[in-house]
Amino acid sequence: MAQSFASLFYHLIFSTKKRVPIITADIEPRLYQYIGGIRRADEGRLLTAGGMADHVHLLVSLSRQMAIADALRLIKTNSSKWMHETFPEQQDFAWQTGYGAFSVSYSNIQTVKQYIANQAEHHRKKTFQEEFLAFLKRHAIEYDERYVWE
């Protein structure tokens, strides 16, 4: 084959450090716009973003050269720096160390977009911790809850 092709979509979930509710309504759209720019710079895309004041859900595409760990490192490092520079009063802002990255089939993109769009509704019934553990179970990821949270 003369060319290489890839269709790589991921649902990324991560929280602010210690789940501090710091992503306010005025920060949220600007933060997602900035993260979209980070993805475009790496030949990827941010298809949709959403979340709550203490965590984010991102649906992203990756280029075939980008490893998921590298994509998350770039998103978290650059967006944290941007937060500190753009909102000087948010100097305590930080992302948690870990993350969840779940592969998404092209045929399920719309379902994931809808899920991310309905975060406020989901969190009327479930905490972030309950939601995240449900993702781990749904994707058959083994974990020890003692080490899941910071």
Side-chain angles (χ1 to χ4, degrees):
M1 187 175 300
Q3 293 182 329
S4 299
F5 301 95
S7 177
L8 304 171
F9 299 94
Y10 293 92
H11 182 173
L12 309 177
I13 305 170
F14 52 93
S15 170
T16 58
K17 190 168 189 147
K18 298 182 182 177
R19 291 173 301 288
V20 174
I22 202 167
I23 304 170
T24 60
D26 59 319
I27 291 173
E28 185 179 38
R30 293 177 65 189
L31 173 64
Y32 297 152
Q33 185 176 38
Y34 189 81
I35 290 171
I38 295 168
R39 293 303 320 120
R40 284 188 302 277
D42 294 321
E43 299 178 13
R45 290 188 351 213
L46 174 64
L47 283 79
T48 196
M52 300 298 288
D54 66 345
H55 73 280
V56 298
H57 290 256
L58 309 173
L59 178 59
V60 302
S61 68
L62 298 185
S63 71
R64 58 188 171 80
Q65 291 94 1
M66 178 64 68
I68 190 69
D70 292 336
L72 275 144
R73 178 183 46 78
L74 289 169
I75 289 169
K76 290 166 78 175
T77 300
N78 291 333
S79 63
S80 184
K81 181 178 184 239
W82 174 82
M83 282 285 290
H84 295 147
E85 291 172 353
T86 307
F87 303 98
E89 69 280 7
Q90 301 291 0
Q91 291 305 305
D92 292 338
F93 178 86
W95 295 115
Q96 70 179 57
T97 303
Y99 59 85
F102 307 96
S103 61
V104 176
S105 169
Y106 183 78
S107 62
N108 285 327
I109 286 176
Q110 285 308 117
T111 302
V112 174
K113 281 183 175 182
Q114 190 65 35
Y115 180 85
I116 291 172
N118 290 326
Q119 280 296 291
E121 183 180 322
H122 296 305
H123 289 291
R124 286 190 194 108
K125 302 171 191 161
K126 280 186 180 181
T127 66
F128 169 70
Q129 292 90 332
E130 291 168 332
E131 176 189 44
F132 192 76
L133 293 178
F135 266 90
L136 296 177
K137 289 174 186 169
R138 185 176 319 128
H139 291 271
I141 297 174
E142 291 184 26
Y143 64 92
D144 182 334
E145 195 169 351
R146 295 177 296 171
Y147 305 109
V148 173
W149 316 113
E150 290 183 312

